[in-house]
């Protein structure tokens, strides 16, 4: 096992393998505790590499036999997971037989059991836990897979590609043989052998081919798969229409599994999903769940081209597929929302989606980029690749693709994508390949400086200042960029930053923009290209001093620093024509008020802020979904990073006061809003309805926080009378986040109704773990979390349960987790150590909850440091946890 001193793997060390694999024939004799895997590989010498041995990796395998062309190999070297075999000639057949124990595999990487069925997860390096193989993404082989299992417990046998043969075997066993026509890297291999049923649909692709779509679930869940299937069909259509990309298989399968480390996995033709991102029906899934199902189904489907047909040369290039695919799923979701909203609502619907994405980026990626794990979207080194499936690689990576899209325009971007597939289909490539092809497809558009986005970590700051010249009606905007140092990276170069800008006149309307030297004014939003450390842009032809609105649509993943007084923020809250910036103005104002209240416990909520808030709330012309976004306070994790030094307890106290004041001062408005936002008729997943429900639920939250009797009664009525999960859970959350005496009773009623529903119970766990203390005399949340760990439905072996209970407490409840007595930190270390022994990937995710501890007030640092040290010193630490905790202590 690696330790924190383990040598890290360097991007610069990439070397092609001396031998690749052309075809691989796998045979699985599936037994829960003793599965035998026979693997026949046709290995071929790689002409692009220097001579060397055949290199295979294997981990946690019992090797039963190994032959080369049917003979014992001449020479074999083994070091750790690496197996080197000397071979002569150009083509040899290597056959390896291994035995594995799926039942004992609690890591959920490789082959494992879930509820009696067999499932695999191979990305990034799980295939080597199944058999010995050159387990790297630059080895693309054609797979043939035969599965043999007990017919009764595993009636369904699936793998990638096409089913070519199946039949009975003696002893109640049966088999199925699958062939995948497309060469693929081993991380895209999958098998499923379980007792499942399929929901099916046949559709025609753009070229007129009939394809069979299947969503496989446990029989009891068949009533919750229609939305996932609809999402798949919509994704297929969208990729055809937007990028001309068609499904390349005759059959496309999705399988849902309850034990899964992440969201889902894009295995070729056989996507495997966490049940959380497949199963949805009105009684058990919220609007947000519906939205998530749609976007994760799309994400995995889109990987078929961006990831599978063109894959990554090495894991440092992960953002090549992830950043691009997140960008694609974001665009898809925005288009779907816009379509459903109709012509008048489309722009707002898109903006609300964009705001959601920005919220995620700020809450998860900005803190990552400011801490010990900061890395460029294409990292230069890692100790454990599983730790690099990060918000930076995914979300910031998507922002980088979005900037390319902005700079090249939709057509230029599409041309680049077309050229990308025409050059690289069937290959394993790099981020440089991608950016080069984008340039080539756009008349050699210069993207050299743009590449710094791939090599520099840290969130850039853009400082903006404006100079109004009344004499000549000009406004000079100066933008200066800088990126703070990150671990191991001190000097930062200027980046290419597209800054979408508008100027708002005193009447609240956007001014047509005319840059110095232009003969006439252009549109009201223009993208300024900031490439120098500092640059000025002079706008002319103005009649009065404008208010700048910068970074519209969040045009770059940066922190905009702009001196704006309260009045200006309120003005932009009321008038900014760009919904993202209007939302952002509200967030900035709320942040300012919250941090001032945290710094001074006697500070109140300024009347002007309440007025600005009230005006937004009462503006019925604004989309309810937008209002719900603008009136929700900035996330606590984001605020903590903005607070210097971070003091979670003071912040929590301030947020409690702020929410109560907003609830009390605007009580009448919240009550009437809740009334006005009633959605008639049966539930349907529709962005218009979802926006109304979101605003109503937000209203209940403020009313409940304020202890408003009418609001609490309303929440109770809505809880009891709800016809869908969004309303039921919204009302429950409001009641739990209050001092209402019925808190426990409604929690119990909810539990009784859903006691057998694992996904709904996850919500029930998370709600309690995330609860604030509205009553100073109440017991700390930690006591409840500990009690819930003993609940029969909780299990440390199920990632969804761990994320719901522990993840929510560690990551979404800083005001409780960082209790001054350090009890939360001790509990954290206990759980990380316990999880480390079961599932290192999940343990490492939990371990990351304390990485930004150096930003905290000194009083908390000592307690956190000692627990980090305790974890680091604990025996048998996985490389996953060792890397996270080691870097936190460096
Ligand atoms: N590639 C997957 C996606 O982005 C995510 C993934 C990577 C994953 N590693 C994993 C999922 C391990 C589960 C377990 O969609
Ligand atoms: Zn992905």
């Amino acid at each position: 096992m690696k330790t924190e001193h383990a040598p890290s793997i360097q991007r610069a060390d990439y070397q092609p393998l001396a031998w690749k694999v052309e075809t691989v024939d796998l045979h699985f004799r599936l037994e829960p505790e003793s599965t035998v895997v026979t693997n026949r590989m046709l290995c071929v010498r790689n002409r692009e590499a220097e001579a060397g041995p055949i290199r295979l990796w294997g981990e946690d395998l019992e090797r039963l036999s190994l032959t080369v062309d049917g003979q014992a190999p001449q020479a074999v070297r083994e070091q750790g997971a690496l197996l080197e075999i000397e071979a002569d000639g150009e083509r040899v057949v290597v056959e390896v037989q291994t035995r594995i124990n799926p039942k004992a595999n609690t890591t959920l990487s490789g082959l494992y059991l879930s509820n009696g069925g067999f499932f695999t997860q191979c990305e990034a390096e799980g295939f080597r836990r199944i058999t010995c193989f050159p387990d790297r993404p630059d080895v693309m082989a054609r797979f043939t897979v035969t599965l043999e299992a007990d017919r009764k417990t595993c009636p369904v046998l699936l793998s990638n590609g096409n089913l070519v043969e199946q039949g009975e075997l003696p002893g109640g066993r049966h088999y199925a043989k699958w062939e995948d026509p497309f060469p693929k890297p081993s991380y895209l291999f999958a098998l499923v052998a379980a007792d499942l049923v399929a929901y099916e649909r046949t559709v025609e692709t753009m070229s007129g081919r009939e394809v069979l779509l299947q969503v496989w679930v446990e029989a009891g869940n068949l009533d919750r798969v229609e939305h996932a299937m609809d999402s798949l069909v919509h994704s297929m259509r969208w990729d055809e229409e937007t990028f001309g990309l068609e499904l390349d298989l005759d059959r496309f399968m999705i399988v849902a599994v309850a034990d899964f480390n992440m969201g889902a996995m894009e295995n070729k033709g056989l996507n495997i999903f966490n049940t959380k991102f497949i199963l949805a029906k009105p009684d058990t899934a919220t609007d947000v769940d519906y939205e998530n199902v749609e976007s994760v189904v799309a994400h995995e489907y889109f990987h078929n081209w961006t990831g599978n047909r063109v894959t990554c040369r090495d894991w440092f290039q992960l953002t090549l597929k992830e950043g691009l695919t997140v960008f694609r799923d974001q665009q898809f979701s925005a288009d779907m929302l816009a379509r459903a909203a109709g012509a008048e609502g489309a722009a707002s619907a898109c903006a609300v989606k964009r705001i959601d994405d920005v919220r995620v980026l700020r809450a998860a990626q900005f803190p990552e980029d400011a801490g010990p794990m900061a890395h460029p979207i294409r990292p230069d080194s890692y100790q454990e690749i599983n730790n690099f499936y990060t918000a930076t690689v995914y979300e910031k990576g998507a922002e980088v693709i979005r900037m390319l899209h902005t700079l090249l325009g939709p057509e230029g971007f599409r041309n680049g994508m077309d050229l990308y597939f025409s050059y690289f289909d069937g290959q394993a490539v790099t981020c440089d390949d991608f950016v080069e092809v984008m340039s080539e497809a756009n008349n050699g558009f210069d993207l050299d400086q743009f590449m710094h986005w791939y090599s520099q970590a840290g969130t850039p700051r853009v400082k903006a200042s404006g100079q109004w010249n009344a004499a000549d009606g000009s406004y000079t905007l100066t933008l200066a960029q800088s990126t703070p140092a990150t671990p191991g990276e001190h000097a930062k170069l200027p980046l290419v930053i597209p800054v979408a800008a508008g100027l708002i006149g005193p009447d609240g309307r956007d001014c047509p923009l005319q840059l110095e030297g232009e003969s006439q004014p252009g549109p009201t939003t223009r993208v300024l290209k900031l490439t120098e450390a500092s640059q000025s842009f002079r706008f002319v032809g103005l009649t009065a001093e404008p208010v700048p609105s910068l970074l519209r649509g969040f045009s770059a993943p940066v922190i905009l620093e702009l001196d704006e007084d309260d009045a200006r923020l309120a003005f932009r809250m009321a008038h900014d024509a760009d919904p993202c910036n209007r939302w952002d103005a509200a967030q900035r104002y709320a942040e300012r008020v919250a941090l001032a209240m945290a710094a001074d416990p006697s500070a109140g909520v300024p009347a002007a802020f309440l007025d600005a808030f009230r005006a937004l709330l009462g503006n019925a012309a604004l989309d309810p979904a937008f209002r719900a976004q603008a009136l929700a306070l900035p996330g606590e994790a984001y605020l903590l990073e903005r607070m210097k030094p971070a003091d979670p307890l003071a912040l929590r106290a301030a947020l409690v006061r702020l929410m109560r004041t907003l609830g009390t001062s605007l009580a009448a408005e919240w009550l009437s809003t809740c009334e006005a936002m009633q959605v008639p008729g049966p539930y349907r997943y529709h962005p218009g309805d979802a926006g109304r429900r979101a605003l109503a639920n937000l209203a209940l939250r403020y009313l409940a926080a304020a202890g408003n009797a009418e609001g609490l009664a309303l929440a109770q009525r809505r809880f009891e009378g709800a016809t869908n999960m969004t309303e039921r859970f919204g009302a429950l959350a409001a009641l739990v986040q209050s001092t209402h005496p019925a808190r426990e009773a409604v929690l119990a009623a909810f539990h009784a109704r859903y006691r057998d529903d694992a996904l709904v119970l996850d919500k029930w766990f998370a709600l309690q773990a995330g609860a604030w203390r509205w009553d100073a005399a109440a017991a700390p949340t930690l006591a409840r979390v500990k009690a819930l760990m003993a609940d029969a439905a909780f299990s440390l072996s199920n990632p969804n349960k761990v994320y719901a209970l522990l993840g929510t407490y560690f990551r979404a409840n800083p005001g409780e987790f960082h209790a001054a007595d350090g009890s939360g930190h001790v509990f954290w270390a206990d759980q990380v150590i316990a999880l480390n022994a079961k599932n290192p990937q999940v343990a490492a995710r939990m371990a990351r909850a304390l990485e930004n501890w150096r930003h905290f007030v000194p009083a908390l640092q000592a307690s956190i440091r000692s627990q980090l040290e305790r974890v680091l010193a604990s025996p048998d630490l996985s490389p996953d946890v060792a890397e996270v905790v080691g870097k936190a202590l460096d």
Side-chain angles (χ1 to χ4, degrees), residues 121 123-124 260-266 299-300 303 321-322 389 394 841:
Q121 170 55 43
E123 189 175 3
F260 202 70
N261 282 343
M262 307 246 269
M265 181 61 212
E266 70 264 24
H299 179 97
E300 306 311 330
H303 268 315
K321 72 177 177 82
E322 295 305 346
Y389 287 79
Y394 277 66
Q841 287 185 37

Side-chain angles (χ1 to χ4, degrees), residues 172-401:
R173 295 180 67 85
H174 67 148
Y175 77 97
K177 185 173 175 186
W178 293 80
E179 252 174 34
D180 188 345
F182 293 95
K184 64 169 177 288
S186 50
Y187 82 87
L188 291 173
F189 164 81
L191 76 76
V192 172
D195 188 1
L196 303 171
V197 293
Y199 176 76
E200 299 191 338
R201 214 175 275 179
T202 319
V203 297
E204 208 176 279
T205 66
M206 65 193 270
S207 69
R209 265 188 320 110
E210 284 239 312
V211 296
L212 172 63
L213 310 179
Q214 297 179 314
V215 181
W216 292 91
V217 295
E218 287 180 6
N221 287 328
L222 256 189
D223 62 342
R224 329 186 176 188
V225 293
E226 202 175 329
H227 178 62
M229 178 64 89
D230 288 343
S231 301
L232 176 59
V233 173
H234 292 147
S235 308
M236 291 173 61
R237 289 285 166 262
W238 186 88
D239 222 11
E240 292 177 346
E241 286 163 12
T242 315
F243 288 106
L245 297 172
E246 187 180 7
L247 178 60
D248 54 9
L249 296 161
D250 299 331
R251 177 204 278 246
F252 188 84
M253 298 170 280
I254 286 178
V255 175
V257 62
D259 298 288
F260 202 70
N261 282 343
M262 307 246 269
M265 181 61 212
E266 70 264 24
N267 317 299
K268 184 77 184 186
L270 181 56
N271 289 356
I272 300 184
F273 275 65
N274 190 323
T275 45
K276 180 178 166 60
F277 296 112
I278 289 295
L279 305 180
K281 63 177 178 182
D283 189 50
T284 59
T286 62
D287 291 322
V288 172
D289 293 327
Y290 273 81
E291 223 179 290
N292 289 340
V293 167
E294 184 180 74
S295 78
V296 180
V297 167
H299 179 97
E300 306 311 330
Y301 176 74
F302 295 156
H303 268 315
N304 190 50
W305 281 95
T306 50
N308 302 3
R309 288 288 288 255
V310 183
T311 194
C312 302
R313 186 192 70 174
D314 56 73
W315 291 120
F316 294 103
Q317 319 297 328
L318 185 57
T319 200
L320 172 76
K321 72 177 177 82
E322 295 305 346
L324 179 54
T325 304
V326 171
F327 172 71
R328 276 151 55 67
D329 84 54
Q330 290 177 347
Q331 295 293 84
F332 163 76
S333 295
D335 285 350
M336 293 297 290
L337 288 169
R339 187 183 308 173
E344 340 75 69
S348 177
C350 283
V352 167
K353 166 65 182 159
R354 183 70 187 130
I355 289 167
D356 260 329
D357 296 339
V358 173
R359 253 189 205 278
V360 170
L361 190 81
R362 287 182 174 173
Q365 200 279 326
F366 281 17
E368 179 169 277
D369 233 350
M373 284 286 290
H375 52 278
I377 64 167
R378 181 194 57 198
D380 289 315
S381 71
Y382 60 75
Q383 290 172 33
E384 172 51 63
I385 184 56
N386 286 322
N387 286 331
F388 286 79
Y389 287 79
T390 58
T392 298
V393 166
Y394 277 66
E395 268 70 39
K396 187 177 179 180
E399 294 298 322
V400 170
I401 301 294

Side-chain angles (χ1 to χ4, degrees), residues 111-165:
L111 179 65
Y112 64 93
L113 288 186
S114 174
N115 204 11
F118 296 84
F119 299 85
T120 55
Q121 170 55 43
C122 292
E123 189 175 3
E125 297 176 338
F127 193 70
R128 64 186 62 182
R129 299 171 53 78
I130 295 173
T131 183
C132 299
F133 198 79
D135 188 15
R136 300 182 3 170
D138 58 347
V139 176
M140 297 174 86
R142 270 187 296 115
F143 281 65
T144 305
V145 180
T146 307
L147 308 175
E148 185 206 308
D150 177 53
R151 180 180 256 299
K152 218 165 147 215
T153 50
C154 300
V156 175
L157 305 175
L158 309 175
S159 190
N160 318 81
N162 301 313
L163 179 62
V164 293
E165 207 182 308

